[in-house]
Amino acid sequence: MRRSRGLRAYGIAGALAILLTACSTTGAPTGGGAPTATGPTATDAGKSFVFASTQFSPVTEQEAMRKKILAAWNGASVEFITDQEPVIIDRITVESKAGGTGQIGIVGLENGQYGSLVAANYLNDLSKVVTRNADKKINSDMLTLGKFGGSTQLYVPWMQATYFLAANKKALQYLPAGADVNALTYDQLIAWAKNIFEKTGQKRFGWPVGTNGLIHRLLQGYWYPSFTGGLVTTYKSAEAAAMWGKIKELWQYSNPQSTTYAFLQEPLQSEEVWVGIDHAARLINVLKAKPDDFIAAPAPAGPKGRYYMSVVIGLGIPKTTPNASGAENLIDYLLKPETQITTLRENSFFPVTNVTMPTDLDKGLKLEADAVAKQAAASDAKVVPLPVGLGAKGGDFNTAILNTFQRIIVKGEDIQTVLNEQAAIINKVMTDANAKCWGPDGTSTGPCQVK
């Protein structure tokens, strides 16, 4: 999902207006407020504005956003557009440098896409919006992400996607004694896979290690922080070496075809695999097809906690917004329980607030929603964002982690030797990207480095 940019006055405005039309996916304005030359009054909702988002780029999702999610919005007129991250960032940058007010009134971006806007101080403080929505119980960890290590609320969480465990009910009889499938530890997960192998002769645990699989995300957001409390800074630590030992142990009981799996829903549906962890979008088909045959549950916990990766989408308001109060009112609207549920139904993004799931939700979607809620609500849950600030070096970072997995787990190379060598590669990537620490690694003034 993506979108474009906004303008300012005079000649710049005209040029960018052309870009807006040429590059963005736009739709008819939504909302009841008529555009005015001044701010909101008791009788109007203020100036119209653009809602630029990197999310909902498929046409069906855009239409759902405009016609269903925003259907009950009765504030200022809003034009929802989608575009690529660089286009939106460039547009806000142009508007900010031009001064005054632009066209973009609000943006919807992934947590990791806010870096340059935060560094340039282009965003309003939304603390008062958080305060007035306190009754909605917005996820506190996600609110912290929106502060980027400071005290100013630079975006408000809007919606989320994540990864969790899915299991065929046939596997539940082999859970280790005393294990709660909704509160597993990684040791219990290994014991579970071992029990299945010993009782059935089959290796039924699966990993998404194939081309386009997301094993790197499971390492970045689940295994590493759960065992080491970090990712980059702890990459070659003693805790990391112990973690790789645990992965090797689980690999013994994993289906060897895991190296070919991109999405786990296919091997789960064919029963080649009974248990696995993957992204919600890569599990939904099997859960919708066979909701009575499967369970969905939180990811396991390690010695440092039950870390999980959340793709957090936040709402930010540029300082050049033409209608600050109108944009803040739109955030209020999007955080309403009924709007959060509509967003889930229509575009499969999960709530960031404490909402009650409707009883008529699709069975597969309900399985996912319940798992997401349990994962976020676990007493030992700790959320991790996608990598932040890597820009064009993001692929190199992922490759360094994938190569670590291939060398240690698939090829059986010495753990500490591999970690030492891959750590040097990761340090170069971080330095080249000038990427500071994020999430469990804390903050840094310079490039985040392996200790």
Side-chain angles (χ1 to χ4, degrees), residues 387-409:
V388 177
L390 289 166
K393 293 294 179 181
D396 293 342
F397 182 73
N398 293 337
T399 298
I401 292 172
L402 286 170
N403 287 344
T404 305
F405 185 91
Q406 288 290 339
R407 292 181 62 186
I408 294 175
I409 304 302

Side-chain angles (χ1 to χ4, degrees), residues 40-235:
T41 69
T43 57
D44 69 63
K47 283 185 175 180
S48 60
F49 57 86
V50 170
F51 181 172
S53 173
T54 53
Q55 309 304 302
F56 302 158
S57 59
V59 173
T60 53
E61 292 184 6
Q62 292 175 40
E63 289 303 294
M65 179 65 179
R66 297 179 184 117
K67 296 180 178 178
K68 295 184 177 178
I69 297 172
L70 291 174
W73 165 246
N74 60 5
S77 178
V78 171
E79 182 182 10
F80 179 75
I81 66 170
T82 69
D83 219 324
Q84 301 285 331
E85 173 194 353
V87 178
I88 293 177
I89 301 302
D90 286 350
R91 182 171 173 181
I92 294 174
T93 299
V94 170
E95 291 189 349
S96 298
K97 289 183 176 178
T101 59
Q103 291 186 344
I104 294 183
I106 189 170
V107 290
L109 305 173
E110 294 176 6
N111 172 75
Q113 296 172 335
Y114 273 97
S116 61
L117 298 180
V118 172
N121 194 27
Y122 288 159
L123 299 172
N124 278 348
D125 181 4
L126 300 179
S127 299
K128 66 179 180 182
V129 180
V130 172
T131 299
R132 73 193 195 197
N133 283 287
D135 62 320
K136 299 184 178 70
K137 298 185 180 348
I138 304 171
N139 182 285
S140 59
D141 286 331
M142 295 179 191
L143 283 171
T144 299
L145 290 176
K147 295 180 180 178
F148 292 89
S151 59
T152 304
Q153 195 71 48
L154 296 168
Y155 74 69
V156 177
W158 171 21
M159 55 190 185
Q160 61 169 318
T162 190
Y163 305 69
F164 46 79
L165 182 146
N168 192 306
K169 289 182 179 176
K170 292 177 180 176
L172 297 180
Q173 61 187 304
Y174 302 113
L175 277 167
D180 176 355
V181 73
N182 288 309
L184 286 177
T185 65
Y186 282 101
D187 282 339
Q188 290 174 325
L189 179 67
I190 294 168
W192 191 11
K194 181 182 179 184
N195 283 348
I196 293 171
F197 174 66
E198 291 180 344
K199 300 292 174 53
T200 69
Q202 301 294 317
K203 296 180 177 181
R204 301 283 197 180
F205 186 82
W207 299 78
V209 187
T211 302
N212 296 323
L214 294 175
I215 179 63
H216 55 291
R217 297 301 191 208
L218 299 183
L219 295 170
Q220 293 165 355
Y222 292 78
W223 283 88
Y224 247 101
S226 293
F227 277 83
T228 74
L231 172 58
V232 174
T233 58
T234 58
Y235 201 76

Side-chain angles (χ1 to χ4, degrees), residues 132-429:
R132 73 193 195 197
N133 283 287
D135 62 320
K136 299 184 178 70
K137 298 185 180 348
I138 304 171
N139 182 285
S140 59
D141 286 331
M142 295 179 191
L143 283 171
T144 299
L145 290 176
K147 295 180 180 178
F148 292 89
S151 59
T152 304
Q153 195 71 48
L154 296 168
Y155 74 69
V156 177
W158 171 21
M159 55 190 185
Q160 61 169 318
T162 190
Y163 305 69
F164 46 79
L165 182 146
N168 192 306
K169 289 182 179 176
K170 292 177 180 176
L172 297 180
Q173 61 187 304
Y174 302 113
L175 277 167
D180 176 355
V181 73
N182 288 309
L184 286 177
T185 65
Y186 282 101
D187 282 339
Q188 290 174 325
L189 179 67
I190 294 168
W192 191 11
K194 181 182 179 184
N195 283 348
I196 293 171
F197 174 66
E198 291 180 344
K199 300 292 174 53
T200 69
Q202 301 294 317
K203 296 180 177 181
R204 301 283 197 180
F205 186 82
W207 299 78
V209 187
T211 302
N212 296 323
L214 294 175
I215 179 63
H216 55 291
R217 297 301 191 208
L218 299 183
L219 295 170
Q220 293 165 355
Y222 292 78
W223 283 88
Y224 247 101
S226 293
F227 277 83
T228 74
L231 172 58
V232 174
T233 58
T234 58
Y235 201 76
K236 63 176 184 179
S237 64
E239 291 87 352
M243 176 205 78
W244 284 105
K246 294 291 184 182
I247 294 176
K248 288 186 71 168
E249 193 177 347
L250 179 55
W251 187 253
Q252 296 179 69
Y253 313 114
S254 300
N255 193 308
Q257 291 302 310
S258 290
T259 55
T260 68
Y261 300 152
F263 290 42
L264 282 188
Q265 57 195 7
E266 284 85 6
L268 283 167
Q269 189 150 359
S270 68
E271 299 194 10
E272 194 170 297
V273 158
W274 278 356
V275 183
I277 304 170
D278 207 346
H279 191 284
R282 295 169 178 229
L283 295 171
I284 187 61
N285 286 352
V286 66
L287 296 179
K288 282 187 172 179
K290 297 181 175 180
D292 296 329
D293 294 346
F294 285 85
I295 62 102
K304 302 294 184 181
R306 193 176 307 277
Y307 277 88
Y308 67 99
M309 180 172 276
S310 178
V311 183
V312 180
I313 314 302
L315 296 165
I317 299 179
K319 291 183 176 177
T320 49
T321 178
N323 187 347
S325 62
E328 291 172 357
N329 291 339
L330 181 57
I331 294 177
D332 295 340
Y333 169 81
L334 292 170
L335 291 178
K336 286 183 174 180
E338 56 269 35
T339 313
Q340 292 268 295
I341 292 297
T342 302
T343 304
L344 173 62
R345 284 186 192 277
E346 299 300 329
N347 286 349
S348 301
F349 272 82
F350 294 94
V352 295
T353 59
N354 185 20
V355 300
T356 301
M357 290 295 152
T359 56
D360 61 346
L361 206 59
D362 174 273
K363 279 187 173 182
L365 201 54
K366 188 172 188 310
L367 282 173
E368 289 203 337
D370 288 345
V372 170
K374 289 175 184 174
Q375 185 165 266
S379 60
D380 54 353
K382 298 178 181 179
V383 66
V384 173
L386 289 169
V388 177
L390 289 166
K393 293 294 179 181
D396 293 342
F397 182 73
N398 293 337
T399 298
I401 292 172
L402 286 170
N403 287 344
T404 305
F405 185 91
Q406 288 290 339
R407 292 181 62 186
I408 294 175
I409 304 302
V410 180
K411 296 180 179 178
E413 295 185 36
D414 177 72
I415 292 175
Q416 198 60 58
T417 299
V418 172
L419 292 182
N420 292 342
E421 293 175 0
Q422 294 299 123
I425 295 171
I426 286 178
N427 276 343
K428 185 176 187 307
V429 170

